[in-house]
Amino acid sequence: PLKSVLGLRAGALELAAKKLAPTFKRVVYCDIRPERSIAGLFCSDRFHPSTEGYELCGELIARSIAPLLSAS
């Protein structure tokens, strides 16, 4: 099914981003995939983040880039 193909492709792209990010100055990799086991982080389709899921992603990104912002 398409879900499996997209999942494999997403995993490959994520691995590439994780490896590539450290080769650039002022670029960080931030894993924003919330745990699917945490209730309330996804909408009923179990694919799209809920409001709480987006809030968590924002917090993770903010923590990841804070050192870059303070270094400027």
Side-chain angles (χ1 to χ4, degrees):
L2 183 58
K3 182 179 180 179
S4 297
V5 172
L6 293 178
L8 289 173
R9 183 68 177 148
L13 290 172
E14 182 176 1
L15 181 60
K18 194 174 190 176
K19 288 181 179 180
L20 190 60
T23 68
F24 292 95
K25 290 182 180 180
R26 300 180 52 83
V27 173
V28 295
Y29 169 81
C30 178
D31 184 357
I32 59 168
R33 295 171 302 146
E35 287 294 321
R36 292 191 179 273
S37 61
I38 300 174
L41 293 183
F42 286 88
C43 292
S44 60
D45 65 6
R46 300 289 297 148
F47 180 78
H48 295 95
S50 64
T51 301
E52 294 82 5
Y54 278 116
E55 185 177 318
L56 176 61
C57 290
E59 290 173 9
L60 294 170
I61 292 168
R63 279 189 242 143
S64 294
I65 66 170
L68 296 177
L69 298 174
S70 64
S72 334

